[in-house]
Amino acid sequence: MSAQTRFGPLVSDRGVTFRLWAPAASEVSVVLDTPIAMSKRDGWFKAHVKDAGPGTRYRFKIDGEIEIPDPASHFQPDDVHGPSEVIDHRFAWQCQDWKGLPWAQAVFLEVHVGTFTSGGTFRAIVERLDHIAETGITALELMPLSDFPGRWNWGYDGVLPFALDSSYGRPQDLKALIDAAHSRGLMVFLDVVYNHFGPEGNYLDRIAPAFFSSAQTPWGGAIDYRVPEVRAYAIENALHWLRDYRFDGLRLDAVHTIVTPGEPSILTDLSTAVGALAAESGRHIHLVLENDDNRSSLLAPAQDPPAGRYRAQWNDDYHHAWHVFLTAESAGYYRDYGNAAHHIARTLSQGFAYQGEPSPHRKGQTRGEPSQHLPRASFVNFLQNHDQIGNRPKGERLSVLASPTALEAALAILLLQPSPPLLFMGEEWGATEPFPFFCDLSGERAEAVRKGRKAEFADAYAKHGSDIPDPLAAETRAAAVLDWEARGKPAHAARLALTRTLLAARRRWIVPLLPAMTSEGSVSFDNGVLSARWHAGEKSLLLLANLSDAANPRLQTLAWGDPIWGTSPPRKLPPWSVYAAIGGS
């Protein structure tokens, strides 16, 4: 722990200094074998214990009433209500010289640690890194790791942001995974949540109610980033993952629900601090947003280090338009994408589909900012992710919702279009396991989750009833575990081979163009024919696709350049086929 940090235990050769910000407390003791009184100044409590060190377990006793874990605990061996453990972050890194990869090379695989393998641990993922690298993926993105209550969870309801959940392993195990990934040329990203705390195991409202404003998020009280200590807590957390674990980047969850961001925004200060770390270390560090507001003003993919802004945003518009096109669904937010072809073309040419237009789903409220001036690298595009699969009542993947032929064409376009693509674990071989929402709570909180899901998906429950998995049942989580043996089945093996060949073409032909690819492309999608062209200096990337059952569509764009995918020349594109080429501008 750096001496510049405010939160968490400060470890040295002379013992451990325990620190706690608890302005609402009158007296605090740190409890090891026996309580040790802590001194108080300006809302902070501090005590140096010379006999403490790595492995020491401790709690804080508040006003003689309750004992709580450290809100900045780095490890909770006995879950969120148990004692915290002092962690020594020294590690024998094998890839000492690893500096990361340029953003242009990013191809993501989003992974939930607990269901990616049957083992459900960091160490078990190490055994699958060769598969990831050989597929052509360059970045492993882990869903949130912060300690959550119970045995399993998606991770977005974590309550101790500095402590990885013990069900996945110990801190040394996570470092071993990241080191092994780096040795294979893979970046590792982490999802982090700065918009709320989970419902069980957080004691901040007792010791520091100033952490929260009077506003609410969809999941609980809003964090108040106008308070300096609260702002420092989030920034130190981001630096903790990037510095102590050597993650290559962070994806910030649902920043549009940060209700009280302060001035300047916590997003600006956090990015500035990360930029300073990147500059000091000489590392490529990438920050990505999830932001339903489509705020293009936050994005600057070429700015290095980030220094106040963000490399890219998850592009939900891209997903929604393709989902409607592939499934014809129109409920919920999908009603905004009824003209799917138009929105697909706009996302491929300009990034966001909604750039200030009224959203029917949002009762006519405008959504988004103009994005046509941004480089293609500003948008992480995908056909599936944890939200878009798991927020369905039954958690179905596109592999069981869409035509295989149509889905393969959409996959080809995703992996050949310029923006960084993201796959959800198993998507590379067309996995069919569902990924429904699951958690492990008990009592009133468990029933609240059940009732909340039934209210959110009332129509689906009325239609499917008991077919919808119980989010609290062990079987629901077990159903989401990937079946790695399925890769050997003919259909899955063929899909994996297709994914690997597409990513090899992307790496060889498209990635070199991306640094010079700046503004919007020229894209049309009419009568089932998608025609796209993006300029990159003196060269251009051409993408043609017949996304229909028509055998002989009329092509508006003539084939030219050197083909990198498909049959040349494509005078008559077969149904559901894709052609790509590179030529002069």
Side-chain angles (χ1 to χ4, degrees):
M1 173 69 70
S2 167
Q4 282 72 44
T5 62
R6 308 184 191 187
F7 295 89
L10 185 61
V11 184
S12 72
D13 295 336
R14 298 180 298 278
V16 178
T17 299
F18 296 94
R19 304 173 294 182
L20 179 70
W21 186 57
S26 298
E27 297 179 352
V28 176
S29 298
V30 59
V31 180
L32 283 68
D33 294 330
T34 57
I36 299 171
M38 303 178 75
S39 62
K40 181 179 182 181
R41 180 177 180 181
D42 298 329
W44 285 90
F45 290 83
K46 183 169 69 172
H48 180 76
V49 182
K50 64 179 181 179
D51 295 329
T56 296
R57 297 190 180 188
Y58 66 101
R59 301 178 195 239
F60 293 118
K61 191 166 189 176
I62 309 299
D63 294 333
E65 300 172 356
I66 60 170
E67 292 187 4
I68 66 172
D70 187 347
S73 166
H74 286 202
F75 192 57
Q76 294 289 120
D78 299 321
D79 212 357
V80 297
H81 298 294
S84 304
E85 179 179 329
V86 177
I87 294 298
D88 182 355
H89 279 290
R90 288 176 295 183
F91 185 76
W93 297 96
Q94 300 302 302
C95 290
Q96 290 281 356
D97 298 330
W98 173 261
K99 298 297 184 182
L101 298 176
W103 180 243
Q105 297 182 31
V107 175
F108 290 94
L109 182 71
E110 188 190 18
V111 163
H112 178 264
V113 174
T115 56
F116 186 59
T117 66
S118 58
T121 66
F122 299 126
R123 295 283 181 177
I125 294 178
V126 173
E127 300 173 9
R128 300 299 181 182
L129 291 178
D130 287 337
H131 160 86
I132 295 171
E134 291 165 3
T135 298
I137 292 157
T138 63
L140 181 68
E141 181 169 327
L142 304 181
M143 289 171 63
L145 305 178
S146 296
D147 203 31
F148 51 76
R151 296 164 293 175
W152 45 71
N153 195 290
W154 271 20
Y156 295 92
D157 281 327
V159 293
L160 294 170
F162 290 79
L164 58 87
D165 195 85
S166 59
S167 65
Y168 300 149
R170 292 184 58 84
Q172 298 293 86
D173 299 321
L174 176 56
K175 292 177 182 181
L177 166 60
I178 294 173
D179 203 26
H182 290 167
S183 72
R184 291 162 173 83
L186 295 170
M187 297 186 287
V188 188
F189 283 63
L190 176 65
D191 273 18
V192 289
V193 181
Y194 298 132
N195 49 49
H196 79 292
F197 289 93
E200 179 181 337
N202 178 266
Y203 297 90
L204 286 169
D205 59 345
R206 168 63 177 84
I207 64 171
F211 242 91
F212 304 97
S213 72
S214 59
Q216 291 289 311
T217 75
W219 312 285
I223 300 171
D224 195 346
Y225 289 111
R226 296 171 299 185
V227 179
E229 289 82 0
V230 177
R231 179 169 294 232
Y233 184 84
I235 292 172
E236 287 184 22
N237 180 258
L239 296 175
H240 161 71
W241 295 114
L242 295 168
R243 180 189 59 235
D244 295 336
Y245 289 94
R246 297 196 180 183
F247 278 97
D248 299 281
L250 304 174
R251 178 251 190 200
L252 278 64
D253 179 69
V255 299
H256 57 280
T257 62
I258 296 177
V259 183
T260 319
E263 184 61 41
S265 168
I266 179 61
L267 297 178
T268 299
D269 276 0
L270 188 150
S271 175
T272 299
V274 171
L277 174 63
E280 176 186 354
S281 63
R283 294 164 53 193
H284 293 288
I285 297 179
H286 310 293
L287 296 177
V288 180
L289 296 176
E290 181 195 23
N291 188 355
D292 191 60
D293 290 341
N294 282 4
R295 288 185 57 196
S296 59
S297 54
L298 294 174
L299 307 178
Q303 186 170 303
D304 207 359
R309 291 202 277 177
Y310 289 75
R311 195 76 76 203
Q313 175 180 317
W314 270 26
N315 193 359
D316 281 347
D317 284 352
Y318 185 93
H319 167 272
H320 297 347
W322 275 103
H323 189 93
V324 171
F325 180 77
L326 292 168
T327 68
E329 292 183 3
S330 59
Y333 45 68
Y334 292 133
R335 66 182 296 206
D336 284 355
Y337 302 86
N339 189 352
H342 165 75
H343 287 118
I344 287 172
R346 197 175 200 206
T347 57
L348 284 168
S349 64
Q350 299 183 11
F352 295 141
Y354 279 84
Q355 302 179 32
E357 293 80 11
S359 159
H361 175 63
R362 295 164 181 80
K363 300 179 180 180
Q365 292 182 346
T366 58
R367 171 174 173 248
E369 298 174 348
S371 62
Q372 66 269 22
H373 62 287
L374 289 173
R376 301 305 87 218
S378 307
F379 311 96
V380 176
N381 288 338
F382 44 87
L383 297 172
Q384 303 182 82
N385 65 27
H386 74 276
D387 268 334
Q388 307 310 333
I389 301 171
N391 284 344
R392 302 177 62 79
K394 298 170 71 174
E396 310 101 316
R397 294 173 180 254
L398 277 177
S399 54
V400 301
L401 296 172
S403 154
T405 304
L407 188 54
E408 286 184 1
L411 178 67
I413 292 169
L414 172 68
L415 301 184
L416 296 176
Q417 55 82 42
S419 296
L422 177 141
L423 302 171
F424 185 69
M425 60 181 196
E427 184 179 355
E428 67 271 30
W429 71 77
T432 58
E433 289 80 19
F435 190 74
F437 178 75
F438 52 80
C439 60
D440 183 31
L441 300 173
S442 59
E444 293 181 1
R445 289 193 171 94
E447 287 308 310
V449 169
R450 288 191 178 100
K451 290 179 181 178
R453 297 290 288 182
K454 289 180 179 179
E456 182 178 1
F457 300 111
D459 291 343
Y461 273 92
K463 181 178 180 181
H464 299 287
S466 59
D467 289 342
I468 297 177
D470 178 0
L472 281 303
E475 295 82 4
T476 301
R477 180 260 179 193
V481 177
L482 283 181
D483 176 10
W484 283 84
E485 298 303 315
R487 292 180 303 164
K489 298 178 180 179
H492 293 305
R495 180 68 60 81
L496 180 57
L498 172 65
T499 301
R500 290 181 170 183
T501 307
L502 283 163
L503 287 176
R506 179 182 185 87
R507 180 173 60 251
R508 179 179 178 185
W509 299 106
I510 299 174
V511 168
L513 298 181
L514 298 182
M517 194 174 289
T518 53
S519 59
E520 64 181 300
S522 173
V523 184
S524 65
F525 191 178
D526 300 305
N527 299 316
V529 175
L530 177 69
S531 174
R533 187 172 176 178
W534 299 273
H535 300 294
E538 297 180 353
K539 293 186 177 181
S540 290
L541 170 64
L542 171 73
L543 195 61
L544 297 175
N546 177 8
L547 301 177
S548 74
D549 294 322
N552 300 306
R554 178 176 296 178
L555 300 181
Q556 300 292 328
T557 301
L558 296 178
W560 52 267
D562 300 317
I564 62 173
W565 189 263
T567 305
S568 175
R571 301 298 184 190
K572 297 178 180 179
L573 282 173
W576 302 104
S577 63
V578 177
Y579 171 84
I582 293 175
S585 294

